[in-house]
Amino acid sequence: MAAEISRWMIPVHGYAAKQAKDHLTSYSFERREPRDHDVVIEIQYCGICHSDIHQVSDEWGGSTFPMVPGHEIAGIVSQVGTKTSRYKVGDSVGVGCFVDSCRKCSPCRRGLEQYCVEGCTLTYNGVERDGKTPTQGGYSNKIVVDENYVLRIPDNLPLDSAAPLMCAGITLYSPLMHWKAGPGKKVAIIGFGGLGHMGIKIAHALNAEVTVLSHSLKKQEDAKRMGADHFYATSDPKTFEKLKGYFDLIVNTVSVELDLSKYTNLLALDGTMVIVGLPEKEMSIGAFSLISARRSLAGSVIGGIPETQEMLHFCNKHNISCDIELIPIQKVNEAYQRVVNSDVRYRFVIDMKSLKQK
Ligand code: NAP
Ligand code: ZN
Ligand code: ZN
């Protein structure tokens, strides 16, 4: 008689929201035994993305609970399936926002799994390809992932400050590359938080001229240290007069609704504003702010596995990682409130060793 295949065998400990808007608390669950192409990762660090907060609060709708958030995962491979070829025990690896996709559609075949026509399998708050098994994220001590959806973290990148590259890093790298930020290009980053600070560093490394549009001048010195050429407060109406028609590319990372027309007016002829921030409510835009200079409004979501790997090599080469505040998991709820208050410099990262503390 064939032995019954036992799934959900690996005991895992983490933090979960038991229902929408709940505080995160200790939570035990199980993950599958590794399949042939899986790796088991001992999670060392996990970044706190504002998307975690949107989803725990069910601001986008459709959240499922209990929810273990976390898609900025860095850890060490501790076990491999029988047919894995890319990774071995002891490798430093990362996992980002998705852990699977259909693998057949045109975007998947092009390595753009984030645009999978069937929808990629989100690392948490999603379901596996079986259509029913819920996924759980990185605020936990272990994760089991198909090796094709795992990233290699270059040896010189510290694991703690590399963890947020899996989302914040690639979310800025991808549009900056796609819309060709580089020498002679004037790039603005709206919102100087987790995503925004990576935008400054990457656009600077690409030799673009970088301007930060932040709601106050409070963080100006930090931005300059990270490579920003200019810094303006959006609370000052003069900013919008002075910078009218100036930028080739604007990346909007803000987590709340903005008056988009005010910002598109800052674009030069043929300029593009890319939205990556994902506020709860819809935003509208005035047609005249687009037509008056043949401007484009675009959007971008994270990046595919090949481009995420490319981004990690780029960051390694340019000595780029995230500015982080390392916290024990017991402080996660406090950290959430500080992110909502824009009081983060510039990414909270959970040290998973703290899971062992009471
Ligand atoms: P974050 O660290 O909280 O940064 C957001 C920034 O937005 C803040 O630092 C702040 O910048 C600005 N902001 C926040 N509240 C504001 C307010 N009331 N008025 C004006 N500005 C405000 O968040 P994050 O992790 O970078 O994420 C940013 C957004 O991107 C979130 O909506 C997240 O869900 C989304 N996201 C999208 C993708 C994607 O693939 N498209 C990936 C990851 C995250 P200043 O202080 O400089 O004004
Ligand atoms: Zn994220
Ligand atoms: Zn697909």
Side-chain angles (χ1 to χ4, degrees), residues 50-51 54 192 194-195 214-215 219 253 276 278 300 302 347:
H50 206 121
S51 301
H54 289 307
F192 183 21
L195 267 54
S214 182
H215 57 282
K219 299 182 267 189
T253 76
V276 295
L278 297 167
S300 180
I302 46 174
R347 201 57 143 184

Side-chain angles (χ1 to χ4, degrees), residues 109-121:
R109 280 188 276 116
R110 292 169 60 199
L112 297 167
E113 302 90 346
Q114 77 276 31
Y115 301 115
C116 174
V117 295
E118 289 184 13
C120 58
T121 304

Side-chain angles (χ1 to χ4, degrees), residues 48-55 59-60 71-72 97 114-115 167-168 170-172 175 189-197 212-216 218-219 231-232 234 252-258 263 275-280 299-303 336 338-348:
I48 296 178
C49 177
H50 206 121
S51 301
D52 301 343
I53 301 170
H54 289 307
Q55 289 175 91
E59 286 173 14
W60 301 336
H71 58 209
E72 295 186 333
C97 297
Q114 77 276 31
Y115 301 115
C167 175
I170 185 59
T171 299
L172 271 292
I189 306 287
I190 320 176
F192 183 21
L195 267 54
H197 94 292
V212 178
L213 303 174
S214 182
H215 57 282
S216 76
K218 268 198 306 213
K219 299 182 267 189
F231 197 102
Y232 291 91
T234 52
N252 171 17
T253 76
V254 175
S255 50
V256 297
E257 306 80 51
L258 291 182
Y263 291 87
I275 292 182
V276 295
L278 297 167
E280 180 178 7
S300 180
V301 71
I302 46 174
Y336 270 29
R338 284 184 54 196
V339 173
V340 170
N341 297 343
S342 296
D343 176 22
V344 51
R345 303 286 186 278
Y346 280 83
R347 201 57 143 184
F348 287 110

Side-chain angles (χ1 to χ4, degrees), residues 233-339:
T234 52
S235 53
D236 181 354
K238 289 201 284 296
T239 295
F240 294 90
E241 286 304 313
K242 181 157 188 214
L243 297 175
K244 203 159 185 269
Y246 187 75
F247 298 107
D248 301 300
L249 177 64
I250 299 177
V251 185
N252 171 17
T253 76
V254 175
S255 50
V256 297
E257 306 80 51
L258 291 182
D259 178 353
L260 291 181
S261 307
K262 250 170 94 173
Y263 291 87
T264 39
N265 277 327
L266 305 185
L267 288 167
L269 177 63
D270 287 330
T272 302
M273 174 151 83
V274 185
I275 292 182
V276 295
L278 297 167
E280 180 178 7
K281 298 202 185 83
E282 289 190 2
M283 294 181 279
S284 62
I285 186 157
F288 285 96
S289 73
L290 291 173
I291 63 153
S292 53
R294 201 164 57 185
R295 297 164 174 137
S296 302
L297 180 64
S300 180
V301 71
I302 46 174
I305 295 294
E307 195 176 38
T308 307
Q309 192 63 65
E310 177 188 304
M311 175 274 309
L312 288 168
H313 291 310
F314 177 91
C315 289
N316 192 38
K317 182 171 160 208
H318 293 274
N319 234 334
I320 292 175
S321 63
C322 300
D323 284 33
I324 62 164
E325 187 174 330
L326 201 58
I327 57 159
I329 201 157
Q330 294 76 6
K331 294 238 158 121
V332 67
N333 298 301
E334 205 179 296
Y336 270 29
Q337 194 49 53
R338 284 184 54 196
V339 173

Side-chain angles (χ1 to χ4, degrees), residues 32-292:
R32 65 173 184 259
E33 280 284 313
R35 298 176 190 143
D36 289 351
H37 293 282
D38 283 344
V39 297
V40 182
I41 301 166
E42 299 285 323
I43 300 175
Q44 313 285 304
Y45 301 102
C46 187
I48 296 178
C49 177
H50 206 121
S51 301
D52 301 343
I53 301 170
H54 289 307
Q55 289 175 91
V56 164
S57 311
D58 198 15
E59 286 173 14
W60 301 336
S63 285
T64 53
F65 297 91
M67 181 194 294
V68 179
H71 58 209
E72 295 186 333
I73 297 168
I76 309 284
V77 174
S78 61
Q79 201 184 332
V80 294
T82 53
K83 292 187 183 151
T84 54
S85 56
R86 294 176 180 222
Y87 299 104
K88 57 179 193 324
V89 171
D91 284 352
S92 297
V93 293
V95 178
C97 297
F98 57 90
V99 288
D100 210 340
S101 65
C102 88
R103 310 179 189 211
K104 294 186 208 93
C105 71
S106 166
C108 278
R109 280 188 276 116
R110 292 169 60 199
L112 297 167
E113 302 90 346
Q114 77 276 31
Y115 301 115
C116 174
V117 295
E118 289 184 13
C120 58
T121 304
L122 296 176
T123 302
Y124 70 88
N125 196 24
V127 281
E128 299 278 0
R129 304 312 294 176
D130 65 7
K132 53 179 194 227
T133 310
T135 55
Q136 298 292 12
Y139 298 3
S140 59
N141 59 346
K142 285 174 201 202
I143 191 164
V144 183
V145 184
D146 185 300
E147 64 171 347
N148 294 299
Y149 293 81
V150 171
L151 290 315
R152 182 174 298 283
I153 299 183
D155 285 343
N156 293 337
L157 284 177
L159 281 192
D160 52 1
S161 54
L165 296 177
M166 307 305 147
C167 175
I170 185 59
T171 299
L172 271 292
Y173 182 82
S174 187
L176 288 169
M177 295 303 283
H178 186 79
W179 279 278
K180 301 190 170 43
K185 286 280 176 76
K186 297 183 174 106
V187 175
I189 306 287
I190 320 176
F192 183 21
L195 267 54
H197 94 292
M198 289 315 302
I200 300 173
K201 293 184 185 199
I202 294 168
H204 176 68
L206 291 168
N207 293 313
E209 181 192 300
V210 190
T211 300
V212 178
L213 303 174
S214 182
H215 57 282
S216 76
L217 292 176
K218 268 198 306 213
K219 299 182 267 189
Q220 181 163 210
E221 289 316 310
D222 287 348
K224 297 267 167 77
R225 173 174 55 77
M226 292 179 201
D229 300 286
H230 310 290
F231 197 102
Y232 291 91
T234 52
S235 53
D236 181 354
K238 289 201 284 296
T239 295
F240 294 90
E241 286 304 313
K242 181 157 188 214
L243 297 175
K244 203 159 185 269
Y246 187 75
F247 298 107
D248 301 300
L249 177 64
I250 299 177
V251 185
N252 171 17
T253 76
V254 175
S255 50
V256 297
E257 306 80 51
L258 291 182
D259 178 353
L260 291 181
S261 307
K262 250 170 94 173
Y263 291 87
T264 39
N265 277 327
L266 305 185
L267 288 167
L269 177 63
D270 287 330
T272 302
M273 174 151 83
V274 185
I275 292 182
V276 295
L278 297 167
E280 180 178 7
K281 298 202 185 83
E282 289 190 2
M283 294 181 279
S284 62
I285 186 157
F288 285 96
S289 73
L290 291 173
I291 63 153
S292 53

Side-chain angles (χ1 to χ4, degrees), residues 3-36:
E4 201 169 292
I5 294 169
S6 176
R7 303 179 72 215
W8 306 113
M9 285 287 294
I10 300 181
V12 180
H13 186 49
Y15 262 49
K18 311 291 166 28
Q19 58 185 0
K21 299 186 171 46
D22 253 13
H23 271 182
L24 275 65
T25 50
S26 178
Y27 178 63
S28 293
F29 59 108
E30 292 176 317
R31 298 201 191 263
R32 65 173 184 259
E33 280 284 313
R35 298 176 190 143
D36 289 351

